[in-house]
Amino acid sequence: IGLVERYGAALEEHIGALKQATVFQRDRATLIFSTTHRAKGLGWQKVYLCDDYIARGLSVAEAAEEAEVGASADLRERAAARVRQQLTASVNAPHNPRGVSVAGSVGATVRRATALLEVGLIERECEARLLLLALVGGEHLLLLGPPGTAKSELCRRLSTIARLGYFERTLTRFSTPEELFGPLSLAALERDEFRRATAGYAPTAELLFLDEIFKSNSAILNTLLTLLNERLFDDGAKRERVPLLSAVAASNEGPESDDLSALYDRFLLRRLVAPVSDDGVLELLLGGEAAEGGSVDAALPDLREALEEVRAAAPSVRLPRHVALLLRDARAFVRETGADGLGGGYVSDRRLRRSAELLKACAAAHGRDTVSVVDVAAVLPHVLWDTAEEAAALAEWVEDNALPDGGAEQLRFLLESVRSRAAAEAADESAGPAAEAAGGGGGLAEDALALAAATLAAAAEMRQHVGAVERSAEHLFLPAAKAAVLRQRLLPRARESAEELEQLAAEAGPRGPGF
């Protein structure tokens, strides 16, 4: 039923394409379908345990009982006996027809945290999600905008919700290290040790908020850079690790001198915060809840556990080649957009690498093992720009380029080439028996099968993009308005590309036109 609902009249073409791509020698197959029972004695590097019981939400044990296998015949154990490297038995397996799915407990926790952050705040959906994304990815967030736009309020709320150790300070050009890192320890001085009493200050904080960050002076800058980047604090002669999970900084303006460029680069996520729009002013003035200063007493003790789960899963998330290419092209775009060489439009290697790691964390928060185009649309507009002009241009560029083209043009060229070979062999009557004896026809058939398989794989990948965009409203870090724009711009292109690739797959097999 699910297949019919999804593919409709195109289902017959898909079945035909699958038949054309079928091989009968196991060692030639790139994907093998079997049952765990019939696969006895076989083994593969990766096994995906998948059946209808997953879509229906049944556990493995429930499925075993329903299938009358018996209480002792655990399907997971049977599948584990067939796997050499990796076993996946969840809705996150690549076969999942539902597309993007959120890991139950983690996704629900992040959604509750987002709702609590947004209570009583007007037009701060994006900022709330970026704050949680920074926490999930272990990165730092910079909020640029005028005073009174709820920048500090969001951070205080998050510390309350997550029960995190919190420290905040407004910096001035005359701020001293004692204000940020703690006073000198008198007890340590008596022992001839230069140590600070850091309890309750930045070195002991899990969540750090620094207002007017670019007023940092040279007395605190080097120590702050080490604290933010390496999560280390130089306390006298000792270098100690700090528990910092994420830092949020706010400023009315960007850095004014090159001395602050390194500090600016430490904040991977950046957001331009604007005052409430004219449309939101009435809601702000007439709303029943106070925006800034409103207390949020609710706590989510399981948020910390969810963060740890995501961070453990993130390194194993796959970054697809098309996303890596997009990051490369985005850096080139920003470099061309900036007008001052290294002073504008510069993306450091560290920034690019951490952007890729943040994309993986974003996917892991949704329980997926691969970065999707919606992850790219949610993250990339906030990580690579330096100026407000670059931010607007990059956001537009990402919307235009987030979806890969699928390679239909190249595949069609290869298809025409194989057809030309087939026509040439058919026209050469004298070489017919010799060619058959030499295996020429077999080579053509193998090329056709390989092309059909490649086209079918491209079509399946594009269908995954379609599913991801269709469910973009479920994304944890993408505001609803942004998700609606994404569906409007990308969905027609993705569907058209998928249909074109599926048509090519139907034509590419040996039984297609021209063979």
Side-chain angles (χ1 to χ4, degrees), residues 50 55 83 86 88 94 240 244 247 294 305 308 312 317 364 375 412 455 473 492:
C50 45
V83 65
Q86 176 182 328
T88 301
E240 300 176 347
L244 182 65
E305 182 180 345
E308 294 174 354
V317 172
D375 296 328
R412 185 170 292 281
T455 309

Side-chain angles (χ1 to χ4, degrees), residues 92 112 265 356 365 482 495:
N92 305 313
R112 291 198 299 272
D265 193 60
K482 180 69 175 179
R495 286 172 174 166

